Amino acid sequence: MTPSALQQGRIAYRRRRAVRSVLLAALSTAVTGTLLVVAVTGSPGWDRVKDAFFNLELGADAVPAILDGLWLNIRLLVVCAVAALALGLVVAVLRTLRGPVFFPARALATTYTYTFRGVPLIIVIYLFAFGIPGLRLQGTPGVLVLGGAALVVTYGAYLAEVFRAGIESVHPSQLAAARSLGLTYRQTMRHVVLPQAVRRVAPPLLNDTVALQKDVGLVSLAGPIDAVRAAQISTAETFNYTPYIVAAVLFVLLALPLIAVTDGVTMRAARRQNAGT
Amino acid sequence: MLLSISGVRKVFGASVVLEDLDLGVEEHQVVALIGASGSGKSTLLRCVNLLTEVDDGVIRLDGEDITDPRVNADRVRQKIGMVFQSYNLFPHMTVLDNITLAPTRVHRRTSKEAREQAREWLSRVGLSDKTDSYPDGLSGGQQQRVAIVRALVNSPRLLLLDEVTSALDPELVGEVLTMIRDLKTDGMTMVLATHEMGFARQVADKVAFLDGGRVLEEGPPERVLGDPTEARTRQFLARIIEAGRL
Ligand SMILES: Nc1ncnc2c1ncn2[C@@H]1O[C@H](COP(=O)(O)OP(=O)(O)O)[C@@H](O)[C@H]1O
Ligand SMILES: [Mg+2]
């Protein structure tokens, strides 16, 4: 069916308006970009900054070492993210348990989240990486594992709170419905509460994972060489900051997929919320 | 007697909601609970389903004292179905998964068996085309019928219905009431809290009027609704008639 003349007029108008918007956006971007470039490159210190931060040759030399470091970041991120998510979930569930039998578990879980949300990560890394080996126990793992454990324990506490908020956001009537069907508390948690809770808090969980991605590098405080530490070493050798820029660009590239997923999940969650109301 | 409630008391803080309440339900009987909002109808149903603990008295199901703290509440609930005013379907599961959750997890049926049974019920109540939909894609009446099916697939001995039509638009009430009428024909034992006096009159074998925490008056619907002996019952019914709901 062809639209009426009136509707055709509207369609043509909307198309003209769309074309004009695109042209305007392109023009304003070009102007802003040009102004920025002129302001930066025209500044009195630009030549020195350019040499200190954007030295292509030195940057290229540093890439292999930084990539080596980045590989450590990636491995740590994957292992620590999975472990911290699991720990956070377990702790959050422990905190929901009722009854005297579970008092110790509940108390322990609560103390844990209160403590590790408060202590700065750097201190936890020092305590784990230097304190635990000091005990001279048999089979103490290496600093890398201990540093990773510090990350897991700290982020586990943040994530436990996110999971707990999700669990509490599930309406009590959902529990009543599940229990009235004869489901046990465990089954109710597993099949009714947690799936809804996790869906609801997926965006903040992923946000914390992006934050973890930036913090895994702090294990280098204990010795292991991550991307930032590798850049620092190169910088110290050449007195040039370009390796930092290289590391920063690599970090952004690494974060892009995770950030894109987070945005996608957040948008989907928002759409679902709106559909639900 | 399938369900016998005697001397039940329930307090929330300082307010006594149920006080020395007695009520009996025979097998295949349909009992309508009526009473003002806040008179304790929901509380009573929740006590029977052990979602709330009684503060005194005894509730027997099939002769077993289910208010004994030693009984396994999960096992008791397996024998009782409950349908809520606000449906309470699980929003993250399809209609089919909502219905098969308890049969597969609690009653240990195979998934195939449970699905077949669910499909059979859905086609019986005219919801075959909604099998794979999520609850938010269904009308209130459809959601409530799914909620009733979800309770029924566990073959409960007793079905508790808590104002199951109160949240529905008027034109959707009929489809749910028809379903309950069919259940009565099948011989299902039911206790239903309701504000639909006309429906209570048609479907109930016994009407119990809750007031001041007890069953103030009970008997055949024609008598309790048509010619009540208690002044409080008459007052309540007069208010309902005024609101145009009889
Ligand atoms: N969990 C609860 N905590 C405190 N008070 C409650 C709770 N549940 C119900 N009540 C109170 O008990 C009374 C009876 O409520 P309810 O059983 O829902 O009545 P009805 O279903 O007949 O409208 C009301 O006054 C209500 O406020
Ligand atoms: Mg109620």
Side-chain angles (χ1 to χ4, degrees):
Chain A
M1 209 184 84
T2 49
S4 68
L6 175 67
Q7 186 61 18
Q8 278 176 10
R10 285 176 185 153
I11 291 170
Y13 170 73
R14 284 197 194 114
R15 194 177 299 135
R16 278 198 309 276
R17 204 175 49 179
V19 170
R20 220 182 47 200
S21 310
V22 171
L23 288 177
L24 254 170
L27 183 70
S28 100
T29 309
V31 169
T32 312
T34 311
L35 282 177
L36 258 174
V37 169
V38 166
V40 172
T41 57
S43 61
W46 168 242
D47 281 336
R48 273 178 47 207
V49 168
K50 185 180 158 198
D51 196 49
F53 285 88
F54 300 97
N55 187 320
L56 287 182
E57 204 177 313
L58 288 176
D61 286 349
V63 164
I66 293 175
L67 276 179
D68 265 358
L70 195 67
W71 177 231
L72 178 74
N73 289 73
I74 293 172
R75 280 177 302 163
L76 262 176
L77 172 67
V78 171
V79 174
C80 292
V82 170
L85 282 166
L87 178 66
L89 185 60
V90 169
V91 169
V93 170
L94 284 182
R95 288 192 70 179
T96 69
L97 295 179
R98 293 286 160 258
V101 183
F102 297 111
F103 176 78
R106 214 162 49 228
L108 202 69
T110 309
T111 314
Y112 161 70
T113 47
Y114 272 61
T115 311
F116 283 95
R117 273 193 308 156
V119 183
L121 174 59
I122 294 181
I123 295 180
V124 181
I125 289 175
Y126 282 145
L127 282 176
F128 272 57
F130 302 136
I132 293 178
L135 298 174
R136 297 180 188 284
L137 291 172
Q138 280 285 312
T140 303
V143 279
L144 184 58
V145 174
L146 288 171
L151 284 165
V152 169
V153 164
T154 303
Y155 269 81
Y158 298 143
L159 296 177
E161 285 305 284
V162 176
F163 278 121
R164 194 166 74 104
I167 290 171
E168 277 170 5
S169 78
V170 177
H171 198 268
S173 64
Q174 288 283 308
L175 270 88
R179 298 310 294 275
S180 79
L181 288 169
L183 268 73
T184 62
Y185 183 79
R186 257 181 89 123
Q187 290 173 323
T188 301
M189 269 291 166
R190 155 99 175 69
H191 298 291
V192 175
V193 177
L194 289 180
Q196 295 186 58
V198 170
R199 245 161 263 233
R200 238 168 264 179
V201 297
L205 286 178
L206 285 165
N207 262 325
D208 278 347
T209 313
V210 175
L212 173 63
Q213 162 154 303
K214 289 184 283 189
D215 276 353
V216 288
L218 290 177
V219 294
S220 62
L221 290 170
I225 296 171
D226 84 312
V228 178
R229 179 86 183 103
Q232 191 185 18
I233 293 170
S234 304
T235 299
E237 284 164 357
T238 59
F239 304 104
N240 187 286
Y241 293 107
T242 307
Y244 280 134
I245 300 294
V246 172
V249 169
L250 289 175
F251 266 104
V252 170
L253 291 179
L254 184 61
L256 277 181
L258 203 53
I259 292 171
V261 170
T262 309
D263 280 357
V265 169
T266 310
M267 241 145 68
R268 234 185 44 202
R271 265 208 307 276
R272 270 202 83 84
Q273 290 271 308
N274 292 338
T277 52
Chain B
M1 193 163 289
L2 180 66
L3 177 74
S4 105
I5 301 169
S6 48
V8 160
R9 175 184 166 83
K10 179 71 204 176
V11 273
F12 286 113
S15 72
V16 182
V17 177
L18 305 177
E19 170 92 275
D20 197 17
L21 185 144
D22 299 323
L23 183 69
V25 182
E26 303 285 352
E27 187 143 26
H28 307 307
Q29 204 177 31
V30 176
V31 174
L33 290 179
I34 61 168
S37 186
S39 59
K41 304 180 293 293
S42 300
T43 305
L44 180 60
L45 294 178
R46 292 174 65 89
C47 286
V48 171
N49 205 9
L50 306 182
L51 288 171
T52 305
E53 254 176 45
V54 298
D55 291 314
D56 205 350
V58 175
I59 301 176
R60 289 178 187 283
L61 181 69
D62 268 331
E64 183 194 7
D65 176 5
I66 58 171
T67 40
D68 185 330
R70 279 164 298 194
V71 303
N72 178 344
D74 294 324
R75 191 180 49 75
V76 171
R77 294 197 196 99
Q78 288 171 22
K79 297 200 276 182
I80 303 175
M82 178 136 181
V83 185
F84 302 84
Q85 182 174 347
S86 49
Y87 339 128
N88 300 3
L89 292 180
F90 306 130
H92 61 296
M93 291 184 190
T94 63
V95 164
L96 189 68
D97 291 339
N98 262 279
I99 299 172
T100 57
L101 178 66
T104 53
R105 301 292 163 180
V106 179
H107 301 273
R108 300 279 158 210
R109 304 240 187 82
T110 65
S111 151
K112 183 164 170 279
E113 225 181 322
R115 280 162 181 272
E116 268 165 23
Q117 185 199 16
R119 290 215 165 85
E120 224 164 84
W121 266 105
L122 285 173
S123 86
R124 216 175 121 178
V125 300
L127 290 172
S128 287
D129 56 326
K130 300 294 179 191
T131 308
D132 297 312
S133 306
Y134 283 87
D136 65 8
L138 270 59
S139 74
Q142 291 169 335
Q143 290 194 50
Q144 195 57 294
R145 284 186 286 153
V146 171
I148 296 174
V149 168
R150 181 175 71 173
L152 289 174
V153 288
N154 303 306
S155 318
R157 299 273 286 133
L158 171 68
L159 190 62
L160 308 173
L161 302 141
D162 191 0
E163 295 195 35
V164 292
T165 58
S166 297
L168 297 177
D169 291 335
E171 80 268 24
L172 303 177
V173 169
E175 61 190 59
V176 174
L177 294 186
T178 303
M179 197 173 159
I180 297 171
R181 221 174 269 128
D182 291 345
L183 288 177
K184 179 185 164 69
T185 314
D186 295 346
M188 176 61 72
T189 313
M190 292 184 269
V191 180
L192 49 101
T194 186
H195 277 129
E196 306 276 344
M197 297 304 152
F199 180 67
R201 192 188 280 256
Q202 284 172 28
V203 79
D205 301 302
K206 178 160 92 175
V207 171
F209 173 61
L210 249 67
D211 187 73
R214 337 165 171 254
V215 174
L216 189 65
E217 183 162 9
E218 65 176 295
E222 314 79 58
R223 202 195 52 66
V224 176
L225 299 175
D227 182 23
T229 44
E230 298 287 337
R232 298 276 303 166
T233 320
R234 273 198 294 274
Q235 267 173 28
F236 170 73
L237 291 172
R239 273 206 306 277
I240 295 270
I241 291 168
E242 225 171 272
R245 296 189 73 161
L246 191 71

PDB file of all heavy atoms in Angstrom, chain A residues 153-169:
ATOM      1  N   VAL A 153      39.909 -11.396  47.186  1.00  0.00           N
ATOM      2  CA  VAL A 153      39.295 -11.163  48.486  1.00  0.00           C
ATOM      3  C   VAL A 153      38.689  -9.755  48.553  1.00  0.00           C
ATOM      4  O   VAL A 153      37.584  -9.556  49.051  1.00  0.00           O
ATOM      5  CB  VAL A 153      40.346 -11.383  49.593  1.00  0.00           C
ATOM      6  CG1 VAL A 153      39.890 -10.785  50.899  1.00  0.00           C
ATOM      7  CG2 VAL A 153      40.611 -12.876  49.756  1.00  0.00           C
ATOM      8  N   THR A 154      39.401  -8.771  48.012  1.00  0.00           N
ATOM      9  CA  THR A 154      38.896  -7.399  48.045  1.00  0.00           C
ATOM     10  C   THR A 154      37.676  -7.240  47.132  1.00  0.00           C
ATOM     11  O   THR A 154      36.640  -6.733  47.549  1.00  0.00           O
ATOM     12  CB  THR A 154      40.000  -6.417  47.614  1.00  0.00           C
ATOM     13  OG1 THR A 154      41.108  -6.596  48.483  1.00  0.00           O
ATOM     14  CG2 THR A 154      39.514  -4.987  47.682  1.00  0.00           C
ATOM     15  N   TYR A 155      37.824  -7.675  45.891  1.00  0.00           N
ATOM     16  CA  TYR A 155      36.690  -7.528  44.968  1.00  0.00           C
ATOM     17  C   TYR A 155      35.533  -8.436  45.337  1.00  0.00           C
ATOM     18  O   TYR A 155      34.374  -8.096  45.088  1.00  0.00           O
ATOM     19  CB  TYR A 155      37.151  -7.755  43.520  1.00  0.00           C
ATOM     20  CG  TYR A 155      37.575  -6.456  42.891  1.00  0.00           C
ATOM     21  CD1 TYR A 155      38.836  -5.940  43.127  1.00  0.00           C
ATOM     22  CD2 TYR A 155      36.680  -5.705  42.130  1.00  0.00           C
ATOM     23  CE1 TYR A 155      39.213  -4.719  42.601  1.00  0.00           C
ATOM     24  CE2 TYR A 155      37.044  -4.482  41.606  1.00  0.00           C
ATOM     25  CZ  TYR A 155      38.318  -3.994  41.843  1.00  0.00           C
ATOM     26  OH  TYR A 155      38.676  -2.780  41.336  1.00  0.00           O
ATOM     27  N   GLY A 156      35.821  -9.596  45.950  1.00  0.00           N
ATOM     28  CA  GLY A 156      34.748 -10.479  46.425  1.00  0.00           C
ATOM     29  C   GLY A 156      33.825  -9.745  47.385  1.00  0.00           C
ATOM     30  O   GLY A 156      32.609  -9.925  47.350  1.00  0.00           O
ATOM     31  N   ALA A 157      34.401  -8.881  48.218  1.00  0.00           N
ATOM     32  CA  ALA A 157      33.589  -8.139  49.181  1.00  0.00           C
ATOM     33  C   ALA A 157      32.681  -7.132  48.477  1.00  0.00           C
ATOM     34  O   ALA A 157      31.505  -6.999  48.809  1.00  0.00           O
ATOM     35  CB  ALA A 157      34.486  -7.425  50.195  1.00  0.00           C
ATOM     36  N   TYR A 158      33.232  -6.427  47.466  1.00  0.00           N
ATOM     37  CA  TYR A 158      32.381  -5.487  46.702  1.00  0.00           C
ATOM     38  C   TYR A 158      31.257  -6.250  46.009  1.00  0.00           C
ATOM     39  O   TYR A 158      30.091  -5.862  46.044  1.00  0.00           O
ATOM     40  CB  TYR A 158      33.175  -4.771  45.608  1.00  0.00           C
ATOM     41  CG  TYR A 158      34.308  -3.902  46.091  1.00  0.00           C
ATOM     42  CD1 TYR A 158      35.490  -3.838  45.371  1.00  0.00           C
ATOM     43  CD2 TYR A 158      34.180  -3.119  47.231  1.00  0.00           C
ATOM     44  CE1 TYR A 158      36.539  -3.036  45.787  1.00  0.00           C
ATOM     45  CE2 TYR A 158      35.220  -2.317  47.651  1.00  0.00           C
ATOM     46  CZ  TYR A 158      36.403  -2.280  46.932  1.00  0.00           C
ATOM     47  OH  TYR A 158      37.431  -1.491  47.336  1.00  0.00           O
ATOM     48  N   LEU A 159      31.635  -7.335  45.340  1.00  0.00           N
ATOM     49  CA  LEU A 159      30.654  -8.061  44.542  1.00  0.00           C
ATOM     50  C   LEU A 159      29.600  -8.716  45.433  1.00  0.00           C
ATOM     51  O   LEU A 159      28.436  -8.812  45.049  1.00  0.00           O
ATOM     52  CB  LEU A 159      31.356  -9.109  43.667  1.00  0.00           C
ATOM     53  CG  LEU A 159      32.304  -8.505  42.626  1.00  0.00           C
ATOM     54  CD1 LEU A 159      33.028  -9.590  41.845  1.00  0.00           C
ATOM     55  CD2 LEU A 159      31.538  -7.601  41.662  1.00  0.00           C
ATOM     56  N   ALA A 160      29.995  -9.140  46.647  1.00  0.00           N
ATOM     57  CA  ALA A 160      29.021  -9.729  47.577  1.00  0.00           C
ATOM     58  C   ALA A 160      27.920  -8.729  47.879  1.00  0.00           C
ATOM     59  O   ALA A 160      26.734  -9.078  47.926  1.00  0.00           O
ATOM     60  CB  ALA A 160      29.712 -10.155  48.865  1.00  0.00           C
ATOM     61  N   GLU A 161      28.305  -7.464  48.058  1.00  0.00           N
ATOM     62  CA  GLU A 161      27.310  -6.437  48.347  1.00  0.00           C
ATOM     63  C   GLU A 161      26.391  -6.202  47.149  1.00  0.00           C
ATOM     64  O   GLU A 161      25.198  -5.984  47.307  1.00  0.00           O
ATOM     65  CB  GLU A 161      27.993  -5.130  48.758  1.00  0.00           C
ATOM     66  CG  GLU A 161      28.551  -5.185  50.159  1.00  0.00           C
ATOM     67  CD  GLU A 161      27.495  -5.578  51.185  1.00  0.00           C
ATOM     68  OE1 GLU A 161      26.660  -4.747  51.532  1.00  0.00           O
ATOM     69  OE2 GLU A 161      27.518  -6.749  51.609  1.00  0.00           O
ATOM     70  N   VAL A 162      26.968  -6.270  45.944  1.00  0.00           N
ATOM     71  CA  VAL A 162      26.134  -6.099  44.745  1.00  0.00           C
ATOM     72  C   VAL A 162      25.136  -7.259  44.645  1.00  0.00           C
ATOM     73  O   VAL A 162      23.942  -7.054  44.427  1.00  0.00           O
ATOM     74  CB  VAL A 162      27.013  -6.034  43.478  1.00  0.00           C
ATOM     75  CG1 VAL A 162      26.147  -5.965  42.231  1.00  0.00           C
ATOM     76  CG2 VAL A 162      27.941  -4.826  43.537  1.00  0.00           C
ATOM     77  N   PHE A 163      25.632  -8.481  44.846  1.00  0.00           N
ATOM     78  CA  PHE A 163      24.739  -9.642  44.798  1.00  0.00           C
ATOM     79  C   PHE A 163      23.649  -9.545  45.868  1.00  0.00           C
ATOM     80  O   PHE A 163      22.492  -9.877  45.629  1.00  0.00           O
ATOM     81  CB  PHE A 163      25.525 -10.942  45.019  1.00  0.00           C
ATOM     82  CG  PHE A 163      26.201 -11.457  43.785  1.00  0.00           C
ATOM     83  CD1 PHE A 163      27.580 -11.637  43.752  1.00  0.00           C
ATOM     84  CD2 PHE A 163      25.460 -11.793  42.653  1.00  0.00           C
ATOM     85  CE1 PHE A 163      28.212 -12.123  42.614  1.00  0.00           C
ATOM     86  CE2 PHE A 163      26.086 -12.281  41.514  1.00  0.00           C
ATOM     87  CZ  PHE A 163      27.462 -12.450  41.494  1.00  0.00           C
ATOM     88  N   ARG A 164      24.056  -9.068  47.062  1.00  0.00           N
ATOM     89  CA  ARG A 164      23.087  -9.002  48.150  1.00  0.00           C
ATOM     90  C   ARG A 164      21.974  -8.009  47.818  1.00  0.00           C
ATOM     91  O   ARG A 164      20.800  -8.274  48.054  1.00  0.00           O
ATOM     92  CB  ARG A 164      23.772  -8.582  49.453  1.00  0.00           C
ATOM     93  CG  ARG A 164      22.908  -8.817  50.671  1.00  0.00           C
ATOM     94  CD  ARG A 164      23.742  -8.720  51.920  1.00  0.00           C
ATOM     95  NE  ARG A 164      24.080  -7.350  52.210  1.00  0.00           N
ATOM     96  CZ  ARG A 164      23.499  -6.625  53.173  1.00  0.00           C
ATOM     97  NH1 ARG A 164      22.561  -7.170  53.918  1.00  0.00           N
ATOM     98  NH2 ARG A 164      23.853  -5.393  53.389  1.00  0.00           N
ATOM     99  N   ALA A 165      22.364  -6.873  47.230  1.00  0.00           N
ATOM    100  CA  ALA A 165      21.346  -5.902  46.820  1.00  0.00           C
ATOM    101  C   ALA A 165      20.385  -6.561  45.833  1.00  0.00           C
ATOM    102  O   ALA A 165      19.171  -6.361  45.891  1.00  0.00           O
ATOM    103  CB  ALA A 165      22.005  -4.674  46.189  1.00  0.00           C
ATOM    104  N   GLY A 166      20.938  -7.364  44.924  1.00  0.00           N
ATOM    105  CA  GLY A 166      20.090  -8.050  43.945  1.00  0.00           C
ATOM    106  C   GLY A 166      19.147  -9.033  44.612  1.00  0.00           C
ATOM    107  O   GLY A 166      17.951  -9.080  44.304  1.00  0.00           O
ATOM    108  N   ILE A 167      19.663  -9.801  45.553  1.00  0.00           N
ATOM    109  CA  ILE A 167      18.840 -10.800  46.248  1.00  0.00           C
ATOM    110  C   ILE A 167      17.711 -10.106  46.996  1.00  0.00           C
ATOM    111  O   ILE A 167      16.559 -10.538  46.969  1.00  0.00           O
ATOM    112  CB  ILE A 167      19.710 -11.631  47.221  1.00  0.00           C
ATOM    113  CG1 ILE A 167      20.646 -12.536  46.416  1.00  0.00           C
ATOM    114  CG2 ILE A 167      18.849 -12.454  48.161  1.00  0.00           C
ATOM    115  CD1 ILE A 167      21.698 -13.240  47.251  1.00  0.00           C
ATOM    116  N   GLU A 168      18.056  -8.980  47.643  1.00  0.00           N
ATOM    117  CA  GLU A 168      17.034  -8.284  48.420  1.00  0.00           C
ATOM    118  C   GLU A 168      15.999  -7.602  47.541  1.00  0.00           C
ATOM    119  O   GLU A 168      14.896  -7.303  47.994  1.00  0.00           O
ATOM    120  CB  GLU A 168      17.694  -7.257  49.352  1.00  0.00           C
ATOM    121  CG  GLU A 168      18.167  -7.924  50.624  1.00  0.00           C
ATOM    122  CD  GLU A 168      19.036  -7.028  51.476  1.00  0.00           C
ATOM    123  OE1 GLU A 168      19.203  -5.844  51.128  1.00  0.00           O
ATOM    124  OE2 GLU A 168      19.560  -7.542  52.484  1.00  0.00           O
ATOM    125  N   SER A 169      16.351  -7.362  46.279  1.00  0.00           N
ATOM    126  CA  SER A 169      15.394  -6.687  45.401  1.00  0.00           C
ATOM    127  C   SER A 169      14.323  -7.647  44.879  1.00  0.00           C
ATOM    128  O   SER A 169      13.344  -7.221  44.281  1.00  0.00           O
ATOM    129  CB  SER A 169      16.125  -6.046  44.217  1.00  0.00           C
ATOM    130  OG  SER A 169      16.446  -7.026  43.252  1.00  0.00           O
TER     131      SER A 169
END
